[in-house]
Amino acid sequence: MPQITFITADGTHRTVDARNGDSVMQTAIKNGIPGIDADCGGACACATCHVYVDESWKDRVNKVGDMEASMLDFAQVVLPNSRLSCQLQVVEALDGLVVAIPESQH
Ligand code: FES
């Protein structure tokens, strides 16, 4: 079972078990990680599940799709490692993934 570490805006690290096939957003919500709003429920239509993928993992997660790239325009403080966590699919190879949550989703 892959584990994902979330770094919340106040610097707290929380490592949780993730289920293959879930999204990183679903993993956060299921584990009560604060700071991911996910207003659209994972439909790639709100950009309130914005996270920063740790640089060492940036090239190992699935690629940014066209819809995600468009929606990222609506996120706050977008950086090269910005992703919408509902579009990051959990697979075994992502065991150890680290993502940081921005200060605000709005
Ligand atoms: Fe809305 Fe990810 S949950 S875009």
PDB file of all heavy atoms in Angstrom, residues 12-50:
ATOM      1  N   THR A  12       3.296  21.236   8.771  1.00  0.00           N
ATOM      2  CA  THR A  12       3.081  19.917   9.376  1.00  0.00           C
ATOM      3  C   THR A  12       3.173  18.821   8.319  1.00  0.00           C
ATOM      4  O   THR A  12       2.578  18.941   7.242  1.00  0.00           O
ATOM      5  CB  THR A  12       1.685  19.857  10.045  1.00  0.00           C
ATOM      6  OG1 THR A  12       1.597  20.905  10.999  1.00  0.00           O
ATOM      7  CG2 THR A  12       1.456  18.519  10.721  1.00  0.00           C
ATOM      8  N   HIS A  13       3.918  17.761   8.611  1.00  0.00           N
ATOM      9  CA  HIS A  13       4.007  16.606   7.715  1.00  0.00           C
ATOM     10  C   HIS A  13       3.058  15.525   8.210  1.00  0.00           C
ATOM     11  O   HIS A  13       3.092  15.181   9.392  1.00  0.00           O
ATOM     12  CB  HIS A  13       5.433  16.028   7.719  1.00  0.00           C
ATOM     13  CG  HIS A  13       6.424  16.874   6.990  1.00  0.00           C
ATOM     14  ND1 HIS A  13       6.625  18.202   7.270  1.00  0.00           N
ATOM     15  CD2 HIS A  13       7.273  16.568   5.979  1.00  0.00           C
ATOM     16  CE1 HIS A  13       7.560  18.682   6.451  1.00  0.00           C
ATOM     17  NE2 HIS A  13       7.974  17.719   5.662  1.00  0.00           N
ATOM     18  N   ARG A  14       2.235  15.000   7.319  1.00  0.00           N
ATOM     19  CA  ARG A  14       1.382  13.857   7.681  1.00  0.00           C
ATOM     20  C   ARG A  14       1.513  12.783   6.624  1.00  0.00           C
ATOM     21  O   ARG A  14       1.270  13.035   5.447  1.00  0.00           O
ATOM     22  CB  ARG A  14      -0.079  14.288   7.809  1.00  0.00           C
ATOM     23  CG  ARG A  14      -0.309  14.965   9.142  1.00  0.00           C
ATOM     24  CD  ARG A  14      -1.692  14.815   9.700  1.00  0.00           C
ATOM     25  NE  ARG A  14      -2.393  13.572   9.416  1.00  0.00           N
ATOM     26  CZ  ARG A  14      -3.711  13.528   9.267  1.00  0.00           C
ATOM     27  NH1 ARG A  14      -4.436  14.619   9.359  1.00  0.00           N
ATOM     28  NH2 ARG A  14      -4.306  12.378   9.042  1.00  0.00           N
ATOM     29  N   THR A  15       1.908  11.611   7.036  1.00  0.00           N
ATOM     30  CA  THR A  15       2.049  10.492   6.103  1.00  0.00           C
ATOM     31  C   THR A  15       0.879   9.543   6.306  1.00  0.00           C
ATOM     32  O   THR A  15       0.587   9.136   7.435  1.00  0.00           O
ATOM     33  CB  THR A  15       3.393   9.772   6.347  1.00  0.00           C
ATOM     34  OG1 THR A  15       4.450  10.720   6.155  1.00  0.00           O
ATOM     35  CG2 THR A  15       3.575   8.617   5.381  1.00  0.00           C
ATOM     36  N   VAL A  16       0.207   9.217   5.212  1.00  0.00           N
ATOM     37  CA  VAL A  16      -0.990   8.379   5.296  1.00  0.00           C
ATOM     38  C   VAL A  16      -0.907   7.239   4.274  1.00  0.00           C
ATOM     39  O   VAL A  16      -0.187   7.329   3.276  1.00  0.00           O
ATOM     40  CB  VAL A  16      -2.272   9.205   5.040  1.00  0.00           C
ATOM     41  CG1 VAL A  16      -2.412  10.330   6.066  1.00  0.00           C
ATOM     42  CG2 VAL A  16      -2.303   9.762   3.627  1.00  0.00           C
ATOM     43  N   ASP A  17      -1.663   6.185   4.531  1.00  0.00           N
ATOM     44  CA  ASP A  17      -1.786   5.089   3.571  1.00  0.00           C
ATOM     45  C   ASP A  17      -2.734   5.515   2.459  1.00  0.00           C
ATOM     46  O   ASP A  17      -3.769   6.131   2.725  1.00  0.00           O
ATOM     47  CB  ASP A  17      -2.336   3.833   4.251  1.00  0.00           C
ATOM     48  CG  ASP A  17      -1.347   3.234   5.236  1.00  0.00           C
ATOM     49  OD1 ASP A  17      -0.138   3.407   5.040  1.00  0.00           O
ATOM     50  OD2 ASP A  17      -1.810   2.602   6.215  1.00  0.00           O
ATOM     51  N   ALA A  18      -2.395   5.166   1.228  1.00  0.00           N
ATOM     52  CA  ALA A  18      -3.249   5.512   0.093  1.00  0.00           C
ATOM     53  C   ALA A  18      -3.683   4.226  -0.605  1.00  0.00           C
ATOM     54  O   ALA A  18      -2.988   3.208  -0.529  1.00  0.00           O
ATOM     55  CB  ALA A  18      -2.490   6.405  -0.874  1.00  0.00           C
ATOM     56  N   ARG A  19      -4.814   4.303  -1.272  1.00  0.00           N
ATOM     57  CA  ARG A  19      -5.297   3.123  -2.018  1.00  0.00           C
ATOM     58  C   ARG A  19      -5.000   3.288  -3.481  1.00  0.00           C
ATOM     59  O   ARG A  19      -5.315   4.334  -4.074  1.00  0.00           O
ATOM     60  CB  ARG A  19      -6.807   2.981  -1.834  1.00  0.00           C
ATOM     61  CG  ARG A  19      -7.163   2.030  -0.728  1.00  0.00           C
ATOM     62  CD  ARG A  19      -8.623   1.685  -0.685  1.00  0.00           C
ATOM     63  NE  ARG A  19      -9.309   1.733  -1.972  1.00  0.00           N
ATOM     64  CZ  ARG A  19     -10.620   1.772  -2.088  1.00  0.00           C
ATOM     65  NH1 ARG A  19     -11.378   1.764  -1.016  1.00  0.00           N
ATOM     66  NH2 ARG A  19     -11.195   1.811  -3.271  1.00  0.00           N
ATOM     67  N   ASN A  20      -4.408   2.273  -4.092  1.00  0.00           N
ATOM     68  CA  ASN A  20      -4.187   2.309  -5.538  1.00  0.00           C
ATOM     69  C   ASN A  20      -5.515   2.561  -6.239  1.00  0.00           C
ATOM     70  O   ASN A  20      -6.534   1.958  -5.904  1.00  0.00           O
ATOM     71  CB  ASN A  20      -3.586   0.988  -6.024  1.00  0.00           C
ATOM     72  CG  ASN A  20      -2.158   0.816  -5.567  1.00  0.00           C
ATOM     73  OD1 ASN A  20      -1.401   1.775  -5.529  1.00  0.00           O
ATOM     74  ND2 ASN A  20      -1.779  -0.406  -5.207  1.00  0.00           N
ATOM     75  N   GLY A  21      -5.499   3.447  -7.215  1.00  0.00           N
ATOM     76  CA  GLY A  21      -6.717   3.765  -7.959  1.00  0.00           C
ATOM     77  C   GLY A  21      -7.416   5.012  -7.452  1.00  0.00           C
ATOM     78  O   GLY A  21      -8.171   5.634  -8.182  1.00  0.00           O
ATOM     79  N   ASP A  22      -7.192   5.351  -6.182  1.00  0.00           N
ATOM     80  CA  ASP A  22      -7.729   6.610  -5.678  1.00  0.00           C
ATOM     81  C   ASP A  22      -6.909   7.752  -6.265  1.00  0.00           C
ATOM     82  O   ASP A  22      -5.797   7.545  -6.760  1.00  0.00           O
ATOM     83  CB  ASP A  22      -7.608   6.678  -4.149  1.00  0.00           C
ATOM     84  CG  ASP A  22      -8.785   6.017  -3.435  1.00  0.00           C
ATOM     85  OD1 ASP A  22      -9.706   5.526  -4.116  1.00  0.00           O
ATOM     86  OD2 ASP A  22      -8.759   5.989  -2.185  1.00  0.00           O
ATOM     87  N   SER A  23      -7.425   8.960  -6.156  1.00  0.00           N
ATOM     88  CA  SER A  23      -6.606  10.119  -6.496  1.00  0.00           C
ATOM     89  C   SER A  23      -5.918  10.603  -5.223  1.00  0.00           C
ATOM     90  O   SER A  23      -6.308  10.232  -4.102  1.00  0.00           O
ATOM     91  CB  SER A  23      -7.462  11.236  -7.087  1.00  0.00           C
ATOM     92  OG  SER A  23      -8.340  11.741  -6.091  1.00  0.00           O
ATOM     93  N   VAL A  24      -4.929  11.443  -5.406  1.00  0.00           N
ATOM     94  CA  VAL A  24      -4.260  12.038  -4.239  1.00  0.00           C
ATOM     95  C   VAL A  24      -5.266  12.910  -3.476  1.00  0.00           C
ATOM     96  O   VAL A  24      -5.259  12.944  -2.241  1.00  0.00           O
ATOM     97  CB  VAL A  24      -3.017  12.834  -4.697  1.00  0.00           C
ATOM     98  CG1 VAL A  24      -2.433  13.659  -3.556  1.00  0.00           C
ATOM     99  CG2 VAL A  24      -1.968  11.878  -5.265  1.00  0.00           C
ATOM    100  N   MET A  25      -6.163  13.578  -4.199  1.00  0.00           N
ATOM    101  CA  MET A  25      -7.202  14.384  -3.535  1.00  0.00           C
ATOM    102  C   MET A  25      -8.075  13.492  -2.653  1.00  0.00           C
ATOM    103  O   MET A  25      -8.324  13.804  -1.487  1.00  0.00           O
ATOM    104  CB  MET A  25      -8.049  15.098  -4.607  1.00  0.00           C
ATOM    105  CG  MET A  25      -9.222  15.892  -4.061  1.00  0.00           C
ATOM    106  SD  MET A  25     -10.703  14.906  -3.746  1.00  0.00           S
ATOM    107  CE  MET A  25     -11.424  14.766  -5.362  1.00  0.00           C
ATOM    108  N   GLN A  26      -8.553  12.361  -3.192  1.00  0.00           N
ATOM    109  CA  GLN A  26      -9.399  11.459  -2.402  1.00  0.00           C
ATOM    110  C   GLN A  26      -8.646  10.966  -1.168  1.00  0.00           C
ATOM    111  O   GLN A  26      -9.231  10.833  -0.091  1.00  0.00           O
ATOM    112  CB  GLN A  26      -9.832  10.265  -3.253  1.00  0.00           C
ATOM    113  CG  GLN A  26     -10.873  10.619  -4.302  1.00  0.00           C
ATOM    114  CD  GLN A  26     -11.112   9.474  -5.279  1.00  0.00           C
ATOM    115  OE1 GLN A  26     -10.167   8.847  -5.763  1.00  0.00           O
ATOM    116  NE2 GLN A  26     -12.378   9.224  -5.584  1.00  0.00           N
ATOM    117  N   THR A  27      -7.378  10.712  -1.332  1.00  0.00           N
ATOM    118  CA  THR A  27      -6.566  10.249  -0.205  1.00  0.00           C
ATOM    119  C   THR A  27      -6.526  11.311   0.886  1.00  0.00           C
ATOM    120  O   THR A  27      -6.653  11.001   2.078  1.00  0.00           O
ATOM    121  CB  THR A  27      -5.133   9.929  -0.698  1.00  0.00           C
ATOM    122  OG1 THR A  27      -5.214   8.994  -1.768  1.00  0.00           O
ATOM    123  CG2 THR A  27      -4.276   9.373   0.432  1.00  0.00           C
ATOM    124  N   ALA A  28      -6.367  12.561   0.481  1.00  0.00           N
ATOM    125  CA  ALA A  28      -6.337  13.660   1.456  1.00  0.00           C
ATOM    126  C   ALA A  28      -7.674  13.772   2.187  1.00  0.00           C
ATOM    127  O   ALA A  28      -7.717  13.864   3.418  1.00  0.00           O
ATOM    128  CB  ALA A  28      -6.004  14.965   0.751  1.00  0.00           C
ATOM    129  N   ILE A  29      -8.750  13.754   1.422  1.00  0.00           N
ATOM    130  CA  ILE A  29     -10.079  13.921   2.025  1.00  0.00           C
ATOM    131  C   ILE A  29     -10.375  12.769   3.001  1.00  0.00           C
ATOM    132  O   ILE A  29     -10.820  12.987   4.122  1.00  0.00           O
ATOM    133  CB  ILE A  29     -11.179  13.971   0.932  1.00  0.00           C
ATOM    134  CG1 ILE A  29     -10.938  15.136  -0.033  1.00  0.00           C
ATOM    135  CG2 ILE A  29     -12.577  14.013   1.548  1.00  0.00           C
ATOM    136  CD1 ILE A  29     -11.067  16.520   0.551  1.00  0.00           C
ATOM    137  N   LYS A  30     -10.083  11.538   2.565  1.00  0.00           N
ATOM    138  CA  LYS A  30     -10.357  10.375   3.415  1.00  0.00           C
ATOM    139  C   LYS A  30      -9.583  10.427   4.724  1.00  0.00           C
ATOM    140  O   LYS A  30      -9.991   9.845   5.727  1.00  0.00           O
ATOM    141  CB  LYS A  30      -9.983   9.082   2.681  1.00  0.00           C
ATOM    142  CG  LYS A  30     -11.002   8.641   1.645  1.00  0.00           C
ATOM    143  CD  LYS A  30     -10.542   7.352   0.983  1.00  0.00           C
ATOM    144  CE  LYS A  30     -11.532   6.901  -0.086  1.00  0.00           C
ATOM    145  NZ  LYS A  30     -11.040   5.741  -0.852  1.00  0.00           N
ATOM    146  N   ASN A  31      -8.435  11.097   4.692  1.00  0.00           N
ATOM    147  CA  ASN A  31      -7.582  11.130   5.877  1.00  0.00           C
ATOM    148  C   ASN A  31      -7.666  12.454   6.639  1.00  0.00           C
ATOM    149  O   ASN A  31      -6.861  12.702   7.532  1.00  0.00           O
ATOM    150  CB  ASN A  31      -6.136  10.829   5.476  1.00  0.00           C
ATOM    151  CG  ASN A  31      -5.940   9.363   5.126  1.00  0.00           C
ATOM    152  OD1 ASN A  31      -5.794   8.526   6.009  1.00  0.00           O
ATOM    153  ND2 ASN A  31      -5.988   9.044   3.837  1.00  0.00           N
ATOM    154  N   GLY A  32      -8.623  13.289   6.259  1.00  0.00           N
ATOM    155  CA  GLY A  32      -8.836  14.533   6.993  1.00  0.00           C
ATOM    156  C   GLY A  32      -7.686  15.511   6.900  1.00  0.00           C
ATOM    157  O   GLY A  32      -7.436  16.280   7.835  1.00  0.00           O
ATOM    158  N   ILE A  33      -6.979  15.490   5.774  1.00  0.00           N
ATOM    159  CA  ILE A  33      -5.878  16.441   5.582  1.00  0.00           C
ATOM    160  C   ILE A  33      -6.484  17.817   5.292  1.00  0.00           C
ATOM    161  O   ILE A  33      -7.270  17.959   4.347  1.00  0.00           O
ATOM    162  CB  ILE A  33      -4.979  16.018   4.393  1.00  0.00           C
ATOM    163  CG1 ILE A  33      -4.455  14.584   4.574  1.00  0.00           C
ATOM    164  CG2 ILE A  33      -3.854  17.022   4.178  1.00  0.00           C
ATOM    165  CD1 ILE A  33      -3.450  14.390   5.667  1.00  0.00           C
ATOM    166  N   PRO A  34      -6.128  18.834   6.067  1.00  0.00           N
ATOM    167  CA  PRO A  34      -6.722  20.154   5.837  1.00  0.00           C
ATOM    168  C   PRO A  34      -6.086  20.877   4.651  1.00  0.00           C
ATOM    169  O   PRO A  34      -4.921  20.632   4.306  1.00  0.00           O
ATOM    170  CB  PRO A  34      -6.402  20.899   7.145  1.00  0.00           C
ATOM    171  CG  PRO A  34      -5.162  20.240   7.664  1.00  0.00           C
ATOM    172  CD  PRO A  34      -5.208  18.804   7.214  1.00  0.00           C
ATOM    173  N   GLY A  35      -6.878  21.734   4.008  1.00  0.00           N
ATOM    174  CA  GLY A  35      -6.310  22.618   2.986  1.00  0.00           C
ATOM    175  C   GLY A  35      -6.612  22.219   1.563  1.00  0.00           C
ATOM    176  O   GLY A  35      -6.212  22.896   0.625  1.00  0.00           O
ATOM    177  N   ILE A  36      -7.303  21.083   1.378  1.00  0.00           N
ATOM    178  CA  ILE A  36      -7.738  20.690   0.043  1.00  0.00           C
ATOM    179  C   ILE A  36      -9.254  20.739   0.044  1.00  0.00           C
ATOM    180  O   ILE A  36      -9.906  19.970   0.752  1.00  0.00           O
ATOM    181  CB  ILE A  36      -7.208  19.289  -0.337  1.00  0.00           C
ATOM    182  CG1 ILE A  36      -5.689  19.353  -0.480  1.00  0.00           C
ATOM    183  CG2 ILE A  36      -7.863  18.791  -1.634  1.00  0.00           C
ATOM    184  CD1 ILE A  36      -5.038  18.087  -0.958  1.00  0.00           C
ATOM    185  N   ASP A  37      -9.807  21.690  -0.715  1.00  0.00           N
ATOM    186  CA  ASP A  37     -11.256  21.890  -0.675  1.00  0.00           C
ATOM    187  C   ASP A  37     -11.989  20.929  -1.619  1.00  0.00           C
ATOM    188  O   ASP A  37     -13.023  20.390  -1.278  1.00  0.00           O
ATOM    189  CB  ASP A  37     -11.599  23.335  -1.037  1.00  0.00           C
ATOM    190  CG  ASP A  37     -11.051  24.315   0.009  1.00  0.00           C
ATOM    191  OD1 ASP A  37     -10.671  23.847   1.099  1.00  0.00           O
ATOM    192  OD2 ASP A  37     -10.987  25.524  -0.278  1.00  0.00           O
ATOM    193  N   ALA A  38     -11.455  20.750  -2.821  1.00  0.00           N
ATOM    194  CA  ALA A  38     -12.052  19.818  -3.789  1.00  0.00           C
ATOM    195  C   ALA A  38     -13.533  20.098  -4.013  1.00  0.00           C
ATOM    196  O   ALA A  38     -14.365  19.191  -3.947  1.00  0.00           O
ATOM    197  CB  ALA A  38     -11.806  18.372  -3.350  1.00  0.00           C
ATOM    198  N   ASP A  39     -13.846  21.352  -4.282  1.00  0.00           N
ATOM    199  CA  ASP A  39     -15.246  21.772  -4.424  1.00  0.00           C
ATOM    200  C   ASP A  39     -16.018  20.986  -5.483  1.00  0.00           C
ATOM    201  O   ASP A  39     -17.221  20.779  -5.346  1.00  0.00           O
ATOM    202  CB  ASP A  39     -15.314  23.266  -4.766  1.00  0.00           C
ATOM    203  CG  ASP A  39     -14.889  24.150  -3.600  1.00  0.00           C
ATOM    204  OD1 ASP A  39     -14.869  23.649  -2.447  1.00  0.00           O
ATOM    205  OD2 ASP A  39     -14.575  25.329  -3.839  1.00  0.00           O
ATOM    206  N   CYS A  40     -15.361  20.570  -6.552  1.00  0.00           N
ATOM    207  CA  CYS A  40     -16.084  19.888  -7.636  1.00  0.00           C
ATOM    208  C   CYS A  40     -16.098  18.374  -7.466  1.00  0.00           C
ATOM    209  O   CYS A  40     -16.636  17.654  -8.303  1.00  0.00           O
ATOM    210  CB  CYS A  40     -15.502  20.270  -8.998  1.00  0.00           C
ATOM    211  SG  CYS A  40     -13.942  19.455  -9.394  1.00  0.00           S
ATOM    212  N   GLY A  41     -15.489  17.897  -6.411  1.00  0.00           N
ATOM    213  CA  GLY A  41     -15.525  16.466  -6.129  1.00  0.00           C
ATOM    214  C   GLY A  41     -14.620  15.625  -7.016  1.00  0.00           C
ATOM    215  O   GLY A  41     -14.772  14.405  -7.092  1.00  0.00           O
ATOM    216  N   GLY A  42     -13.731  16.265  -7.715  1.00  0.00           N
ATOM    217  CA  GLY A  42     -12.769  15.510  -8.522  1.00  0.00           C
ATOM    218  C   GLY A  42     -13.042  15.525 -10.009  1.00  0.00           C
ATOM    219  O   GLY A  42     -12.463  14.742 -10.758  1.00  0.00           O
ATOM    220  N   ALA A  43     -13.906  16.440 -10.449  1.00  0.00           N
ATOM    221  CA  ALA A  43     -14.268  16.506 -11.869  1.00  0.00           C
ATOM    222  C   ALA A  43     -13.329  17.388 -12.689  1.00  0.00           C
ATOM    223  O   ALA A  43     -13.602  17.665 -13.857  1.00  0.00           O
ATOM    224  CB  ALA A  43     -15.699  17.011 -12.006  1.00  0.00           C
ATOM    225  N   CYS A  44     -12.257  17.846 -12.081  1.00  0.00           N
ATOM    226  CA  CYS A  44     -11.297  18.731 -12.750  1.00  0.00           C
ATOM    227  C   CYS A  44     -11.981  20.022 -13.211  1.00  0.00           C
ATOM    228  O   CYS A  44     -11.811  20.476 -14.335  1.00  0.00           O
ATOM    229  CB  CYS A  44     -10.625  18.033 -13.931  1.00  0.00           C
ATOM    230  SG  CYS A  44      -9.096  18.864 -14.454  1.00  0.00           S
ATOM    231  N   ALA A  45     -12.808  20.571 -12.326  1.00  0.00           N
ATOM    232  CA  ALA A  45     -13.597  21.748 -12.700  1.00  0.00           C
ATOM    233  C   ALA A  45     -13.573  22.855 -11.650  1.00  0.00           C
ATOM    234  O   ALA A  45     -14.409  23.743 -11.689  1.00  0.00           O
ATOM    235  CB  ALA A  45     -15.038  21.321 -12.957  1.00  0.00           C
ATOM    236  N   CYS A  46     -12.632  22.795 -10.703  1.00  0.00           N
ATOM    237  CA  CYS A  46     -12.657  23.844  -9.667  1.00  0.00           C
ATOM    238  C   CYS A  46     -11.270  24.376  -9.301  1.00  0.00           C
ATOM    239  O   CYS A  46     -11.164  25.500  -8.835  1.00  0.00           O
ATOM    240  CB  CYS A  46     -13.346  23.327  -8.408  1.00  0.00           C
ATOM    241  SG  CYS A  46     -12.380  22.131  -7.449  1.00  0.00           S
ATOM    242  N   ALA A  47     -10.248  23.595  -9.440  1.00  0.00           N
ATOM    243  CA  ALA A  47      -8.869  23.988  -9.082  1.00  0.00           C
ATOM    244  C   ALA A  47      -8.676  24.245  -7.588  1.00  0.00           C
ATOM    245  O   ALA A  47      -7.731  24.912  -7.200  1.00  0.00           O
ATOM    246  CB  ALA A  47      -8.417  25.208  -9.895  1.00  0.00           C
ATOM    247  N   THR A  48      -9.576  23.711  -6.753  1.00  0.00           N
ATOM    248  CA  THR A  48      -9.389  23.896  -5.302  1.00  0.00           C
ATOM    249  C   THR A  48      -8.778  22.658  -4.640  1.00  0.00           C
ATOM    250  O   THR A  48      -8.903  22.461  -3.430  1.00  0.00           O
ATOM    251  CB  THR A  48     -10.711  24.258  -4.593  1.00  0.00           C
ATOM    252  OG1 THR A  48     -11.626  23.163  -4.719  1.00  0.00           O
ATOM    253  CG2 THR A  48     -11.311  25.529  -5.165  1.00  0.00           C
ATOM    254  N   CYS A  49      -8.121  21.857  -5.441  1.00  0.00           N
ATOM    255  CA  CYS A  49      -7.394  20.691  -4.913  1.00  0.00           C
ATOM    256  C   CYS A  49      -5.912  20.832  -5.280  1.00  0.00           C
ATOM    257  O   CYS A  49      -5.191  19.855  -5.377  1.00  0.00           O
ATOM    258  CB  CYS A  49      -7.964  19.398  -5.478  1.00  0.00           C
ATOM    259  SG  CYS A  49      -7.806  19.296  -7.277  1.00  0.00           S
ATOM    260  N   HIS A  50      -5.504  22.085  -5.461  1.00  0.00           N
ATOM    261  CA  HIS A  50      -4.141  22.414  -5.905  1.00  0.00           C
ATOM    262  C   HIS A  50      -3.096  21.946  -4.885  1.00  0.00           C
ATOM    263  O   HIS A  50      -3.257  22.156  -3.681  1.00  0.00           O
ATOM    264  CB  HIS A  50      -4.092  23.945  -6.068  1.00  0.00           C
ATOM    265  CG  HIS A  50      -2.787  24.505  -6.475  1.00  0.00           C
ATOM    266  ND1 HIS A  50      -2.431  25.795  -6.194  1.00  0.00           N
ATOM    267  CD2 HIS A  50      -1.742  23.971  -7.163  1.00  0.00           C
ATOM    268  CE1 HIS A  50      -1.225  26.045  -6.684  1.00  0.00           C
ATOM    269  NE2 HIS A  50      -0.788  24.947  -7.274  1.00  0.00           N
TER     270      HIS A  50
END
